[in-house]
């Protein structure tokens, strides 16, 4: 079959600057084959949201986009986040938030701890339990490092662009995040934004805000905490929404590309019958880690959850192909076991040279950038040539 007979969905996983560099290489291979311009739905997470949004909301040629993305990765985003946190208009807002919302939240937390302590010594009452439920942060976090991140992205790259303003012809984009109150997916998109529990937002959203929310790794960046208006089944309501990194719910970004989703229970439903999932995960660990103290145990716990999620998703893609629900898929995987690759190129960039690059947004040296991007390009081309030479 010709590639024009497929409805392509492209998922760019999370993984900070490592993911962005890997996805750049994958996109090079897809562009060389003429597939990138045929993608109908682009689903992004965290680091994948940075590169995905920069592609979707620009009309540069691929060569211009490639060079621009390399410049951004070499420069990094961390300094910009710090600069806007300390020296922009967000700085006084952040200070004000700490002394209002932050202080009230701390007082409520202390009161909750006191009620819990009373319970431990046998002082219990239904009214105390009811009070404990109500003693939660009463005011939203009006400003934070994440809002500074959003402002930095908007000033430097997106210039006030709203989600509906996609510049690539026929492309729909979904920028994945996680809603922590309802523990559900929160999807910003060019079609609609929201989550199934609250409904869809009544107003369009800045691209920069969606990308910052999607990339707000919880250990470093606070969640976006806002009162927002939604419409659900014809009724409008305001809900306090706490949105964090998309990797918390789905670090691969494939969940919104699965066919036969019901729009009654999910947002951003699209038609996709060929899924290209670019995954910047590290692959199977070598077992050298010894998580003894609390921090290392927590890190390895998170890594284990991600590994399990990856395995389930990989298995799902195979089952969807076998059942005929999708016509095919490609799975360029940074952590791919090189020995299992069919007919790898002789100059293949080895997994061991790339898999442990950090996921932060520090400046990336040219050597690391070239290695990670080249591996993404090589793996994608190898998979196409082996399994779908017709593309």
């Amino acid at each position: 079959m010709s590639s024009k007979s497929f409805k392509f969905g492209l998922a760019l996983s999370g993984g900070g600057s490592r993911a962005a560099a890997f996805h750049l290489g994958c996109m090079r291979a897809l562009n060389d084959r003429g597939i990138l311009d045929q993608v109908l739905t682009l689903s992004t997470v965290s680091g994948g949201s940075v590169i995905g949004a920069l592609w979707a909301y620009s009309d540069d040629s691929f060569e211009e986009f490639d060079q621009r993305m390399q410049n951004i990765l070499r420069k990094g985003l961390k300094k910009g986040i710090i600069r806007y946190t300390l020296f922009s208009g967000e700085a006084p807002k952040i200070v004000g938030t700490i002394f209002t919302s932050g202080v009230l939240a701390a007082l409520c937390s202390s009161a909750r701890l006191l009620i819990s302590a009373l319970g431990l010594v046998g002082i219990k009452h239904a009214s105390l339990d009811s009070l404990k439920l109500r003693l939660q942060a009463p005011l939203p976090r009006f400003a934070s490092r994440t809002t500074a991140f959003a402002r930095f992205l908007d000033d430097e790259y997106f210039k006030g662009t709203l989600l509906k303003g996609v510049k690539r012809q026929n492309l729909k984009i979904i920028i994945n995040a996680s809603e922590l109150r309802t523990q559900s997916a929160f999807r910003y998109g060019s079609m609609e934004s929201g989550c199934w529990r609250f409904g869809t937002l009544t107003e369009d959203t800045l691209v920069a805000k969606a990308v910052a929310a999607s990339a707000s790794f919880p250990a470093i960046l606070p969640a976006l905490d806002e009162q927002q208006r939604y419409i659900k089944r014809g009724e409008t309501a305001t809900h306090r929404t706490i949105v964090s990194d998309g990797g918390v719910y789905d670090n691969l970004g494939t969940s919104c590309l699965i066919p036969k989703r019901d729009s009654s229970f999910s947002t951003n439903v699209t038609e996709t019958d060929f899924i290209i999932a670019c995954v910047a995960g590290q692959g199977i660990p070598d077992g050298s880690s010894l998580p003894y103290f609390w921090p290392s145990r927590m890190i390895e716990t998170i890594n284990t959850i991600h590994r399990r999620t990856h395995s389930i998703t990989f298995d799902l893609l195979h089952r969807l192909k076998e059942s005929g629900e999708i016509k095919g898929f490609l799975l360029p995987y940074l952590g791919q076991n090189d020995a299992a690759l069919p007919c790898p190129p002789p100059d293949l960039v080895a997994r061991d040279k790339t898999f442990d690059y950090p996921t932060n947004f520090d400046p990336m040296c040219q050597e690391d950038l070239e290695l990670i991007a080249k591996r993404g390009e090589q793996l994608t081309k190898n998979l196409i040539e082996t399994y779908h030479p017709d593309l």
Side-chain angles (χ1 to χ4, degrees):
M1 292 185 290
S2 165
S3 62
K4 295 186 183 299
S5 66
F6 295 123
K7 297 175 181 177
F8 289 106
L10 172 61
L12 303 179
S13 78
S17 50
R18 181 181 75 206
F22 180 72
H23 299 331
L24 180 60
C26 297
M27 293 169 74
R28 286 175 184 168
L30 296 174
N31 182 67
D32 287 346
R33 284 278 185 161
I35 299 171
L36 187 59
D37 288 335
Q38 296 180 50
V39 171
L40 298 178
T41 305
L42 175 60
S43 174
T44 68
V45 184
S46 196
S49 293
V50 174
I51 184 172
L54 287 167
W55 168 253
Y57 293 95
S58 74
D59 52 10
D60 299 339
S61 68
F62 185 81
E63 290 71 23
E64 292 170 328
F65 165 77
D66 190 324
Q67 190 58 56
R68 184 184 182 207
M69 196 66 226
Q70 288 188 61
N71 291 338
I72 291 171
L73 288 171
R74 284 193 293 263
K75 186 177 180 181
L77 300 178
K78 181 180 283 188
K79 290 181 180 178
I81 298 172
I82 294 172
R83 186 172 78 251
Y84 271 70
T85 299
L86 298 177
F87 305 112
S88 75
E90 290 298 303
K93 295 179 184 178
I94 293 171
V95 174
T97 299
I98 292 172
F99 285 101
T100 54
S101 176
V103 169
L104 287 173
L107 290 173
C108 289
S109 180
S110 299
R112 285 167 61 89
L113 287 173
L114 177 60
I115 293 173
S116 297
L118 291 174
L120 291 175
V121 297
I123 303 175
K124 299 180 180 179
H125 194 276
S127 61
L128 288 176
D129 292 336
S130 177
L131 178 62
K132 184 178 177 180
L133 287 175
R134 294 196 299 271
L135 284 171
Q136 299 189 67
L139 296 177
R141 192 190 300 262
F142 303 108
S144 67
R145 293 183 300 280
T146 304
T147 62
F149 184 19
R151 186 164 179 171
F152 161 63
L153 290 173
D154 195 53
D155 287 353
E156 294 290 327
Y157 305 114
F158 296 111
K159 311 296 183 183
T161 303
L162 296 172
L163 285 167
K164 294 186 185 298
V166 175
K167 293 187 178 180
R168 302 290 169 182
Q169 189 174 8
N170 300 322
L171 180 66
K172 304 179 185 71
I173 185 170
I174 303 167
I175 299 175
N176 294 273
S178 306
E179 208 292 310
L180 300 183
R181 288 189 63 203
T182 59
Q183 300 175 13
S184 59
F186 192 100
R187 297 187 175 109
Y188 297 96
S190 54
M191 297 178 290
E192 60 186 4
S193 299
C195 65
W196 76 273
R197 291 283 296 276
F198 295 150
T200 57
L201 291 175
T202 58
E203 297 183 359
D204 203 357
T205 302
L206 288 170
V207 174
K209 176 180 168 182
V211 173
S214 178
S216 56
F217 182 59
I220 300 172
L221 296 172
L224 284 181
D225 187 351
E226 302 174 301
Q227 296 282 359
Q228 302 210 77
R229 288 182 62 78
Y230 296 85
I231 184 166
K232 184 175 183 180
R233 300 190 182 97
E235 296 185 3
T236 303
T238 299
H239 298 282
R240 184 172 174 181
T241 314
I242 300 180
V243 180
S244 187
D245 192 305
V248 174
Y249 185 87
D250 172 18
N251 197 45
L252 302 190
T254 54
S255 60
C256 59
L257 300 178
I258 302 303
K260 298 182 180 180
R261 291 191 303 127
D262 189 341
S263 59
S264 301
F265 303 99
S266 187
T267 63
N268 291 281
V269 173
T270 62
E271 293 186 23
T272 301
D273 60 19
F274 196 107
I275 296 174
I276 305 170
C278 303
V279 181
Q282 294 181 309
I284 298 174
D286 60 11
S288 60
S289 174
L290 294 172
Y292 185 84
F293 290 108
W294 185 86
S296 61
R297 294 201 312 272
M298 293 302 99
I299 291 171
E300 294 310 319
T301 297
I302 294 170
N303 289 338
T304 301
I305 293 170
H306 276 304
R307 281 275 309 135
R308 179 57 178 158
T309 303
H310 289 187
S311 298
I312 291 172
T313 302
F314 298 165
D315 180 64
L316 175 61
L317 290 174
H318 283 282
R319 288 191 284 111
L320 289 172
K321 173 64 169 64
E322 291 168 1
S323 67
E325 293 179 75
I326 58 174
K327 296 176 182 177
F329 70 91
L330 294 174
L331 186 59
Y333 184 26
L334 181 93
Q336 166 75 46
N337 176 9
D338 293 346
L341 274 174
C343 306
D347 62 341
L348 175 68
V349 175
R351 169 184 177 269
D352 291 345
K353 292 184 178 180
T354 60
F355 82 99
D356 60 350
Y357 188 88
T359 59
N360 57 32
F361 287 112
D362 281 338
M364 181 177 282
C365 74
Q366 186 64 30
E367 180 182 2
D368 288 329
L369 171 54
E370 290 178 357
L371 286 173
I372 296 172
K374 185 175 181 181
R375 180 167 172 82
E377 183 176 8
Q378 289 177 319
L379 291 175
T380 306
K381 286 183 175 179
N382 183 257
L383 292 170
I384 292 173
E385 291 164 358
T386 303
Y387 297 108
H388 285 280
D390 49 304
L391 294 181

